[in-house]
Amino acid sequence: QATATDQVVGFGLVAFSALLFVYYTLWIIALPFIDSDHSIHQYFLPREYAVLIPVVAGLLLLLFIGIFITVVMWKNRKPAKKSD
């Protein structure tokens, strides 16, 4: 059974993910159709970052997954048997 703290943390993560999804969707899909001199453009990063940020995040994720797998394999290794 989930505690109240777990539920609050879970709700916070879901809310953050939804907010990030809405922001990114507006940034990529809706913003190109709005005039470039409109004041809403000040709330968004330049469009180059729309590709750069997910690529860097994906590479960091792969790096941390690789490090995790390496650490787990290193800790679970069995000592080599010596042959006489």
Side-chain angles (χ1 to χ4, degrees), residues 26-32 41 44-52:
L26 287 174
W27 184 23
I28 299 306
I29 296 175
L31 209 61
H41 283 275
F44 294 91
L45 292 172
R47 294 198 46 91
E48 301 86 45
Y49 292 108
V51 174
L52 188 63

Side-chain angles (χ1 to χ4, degrees), residues 2 20 22 26 31 34 39 42 48 53 55-56 59 64 69:
L20 189 64
V22 169
L26 287 174
L31 209 61
I34 299 173
S39 63
Q42 69 184 358
E48 301 86 45
I53 290 173
V55 167
V56 169
L59 289 175
F64 288 128
I69 290 172

Side-chain angles (χ1 to χ4, degrees), residues 6 67-68 82:
D6 292 338
I67 290 172
F68 175 76
K82 294 181 181 179

